[in-house]
Amino acid sequence: MSTRTLVSPLALARPRGRAVYWTVFGGVVLLFALAFLFPVYWMVTGAMKSPDEVTRTPPTLLPEHWHLGGYTDAWDLMDLPTHLWNTVVQATGAWVLQLVFCTAAAYALSRLKPAFGKVILGGILATLMVPVQALVVPKYLTVADLPVLHTSLLNSPLGIWLPAVANAFNLYLLKRFFDQIPRDVLEAAEIDGAGKLRTLWSIVLPMSRPVLGVVSIFALVAVWQDFLWPLMVFSDTDKQPISVALVQLSQNIQLTVLIAAMVIASIPMVVMFLVFQRHIIAGISAGSTKG
């Protein structure tokens, strides 16, 4: 069965048709690349301009004089190493706990078939319909006075880690992937004497590396870019993550130094995306279609 496209194979077979096709294709790709990369270029070069040049109208495309001091000033004046380390600790803890508990819950709902499993899953998915802003006050009251233990998690990484564990989207993504694992593989492991935990550790998790990579990216990015919740949890400036510190410390900082700090803060996420970008599409498509 042939597939119809905008350009027929007969037109592509002609030299003129191929030339027009690749010209249009290259132009569209170039426009999209410029649309996505130009803001990054503008931010990186903006930190290298003088304060007067940044606010000049019309703006300059290239800095008249290249100043790298903005990056060193941002690193020292805004104490970026401390706040970057705070962000790493908070993001790593949330990622580990979310990976452990969401994987365990998804595996239980997918393969262990607990009583009222569908009802439980429906209740979990129903939380996706609740606006995030509506949960801020209940979460804060819970963290400020933890039930039963009656202790406060404010100014503690646990105030970020524990609320991040309950992620309905990542749980459902993992469950859909586990549903696609062939039953024959799990039955073979059971015949060989592997228990439920052994099957999960030795069979399911190695097969789930694409979706685990996607869940990891979502978990890390969510904590790294969050602003409102860390602002409420951390009143101590020395414990605040980079997203909050950039706003709190920007009052008496030059604009070029603030832009440089934003560039430095975005580097870890950009690097992580470039390294793991192939897992995003692979994991989402694997977890959303029935094979």
Side-chain angles (χ1 to χ4, degrees), residues 17-225:
R18 287 196 300 269
V20 172
Y21 171 80
W22 286 111
T23 300
V24 174
F25 179 78
V28 171
V29 171
L30 181 61
L31 288 176
F32 273 95
L34 290 176
F36 283 100
L37 295 180
F38 184 76
V40 178
Y41 164 80
W42 192 256
M43 183 171 63
V44 173
T45 57
M48 301 181 184
K49 299 178 181 179
S50 64
D52 294 334
E53 188 180 357
V54 171
T55 58
R56 183 183 304 172
T57 304
T60 56
L61 187 61
L62 291 173
E64 294 179 350
H65 302 284
W66 297 82
H67 302 282
L68 297 178
Y71 290 99
T72 56
D73 291 342
W75 187 263
D76 297 329
L77 295 178
M78 303 190 73
D79 197 15
L80 291 186
T82 299
H83 299 295
L84 283 172
W85 175 249
N86 293 339
T87 310
V88 169
V89 171
Q90 295 164 23
T92 303
W95 164 62
V96 172
L97 291 177
Q98 190 175 136
L99 211 59
V100 170
F101 286 96
C102 285
T103 300
Y107 180 71
L109 292 172
S110 175
R111 293 301 176 180
L112 301 185
K113 305 298 183 182
F116 306 106
K118 293 185 178 180
V119 176
I120 295 173
L121 180 62
I124 293 173
L125 294 180
T127 61
L128 294 174
M129 305 178 189
V130 181
V132 177
Q133 293 78 6
L135 300 176
V136 170
V137 174
K139 282 201 305 183
Y140 181 81
L141 296 176
T142 302
V143 169
D145 184 14
L146 199 63
V148 180
L149 298 179
H150 296 291
T151 184
S152 176
L153 299 181
L154 299 179
N155 289 314
S156 170
L158 289 172
I160 301 295
W161 295 349
L162 297 185
V165 171
N167 191 300
F169 177 76
N170 287 344
L171 188 151
Y172 182 70
L173 196 64
L174 287 164
K175 181 188 177 298
R176 289 293 299 167
F177 188 91
F178 293 159
D179 288 342
Q180 296 180 39
I181 296 178
R183 183 174 297 273
D184 296 343
V185 176
L186 302 180
E187 291 177 351
E190 186 177 352
I191 293 173
D192 290 338
K196 300 298 184 182
L197 289 178
R198 180 68 176 180
T199 301
L200 173 63
W201 181 260
S202 300
I203 305 297
V204 176
L205 291 184
M207 298 177 62
S208 306
R209 281 181 293 181
V211 72
L212 291 176
V214 173
V215 170
S216 299
I217 293 173
F218 287 166
L220 290 171
V221 171
V223 176
W224 198 277
Q225 69 179 6

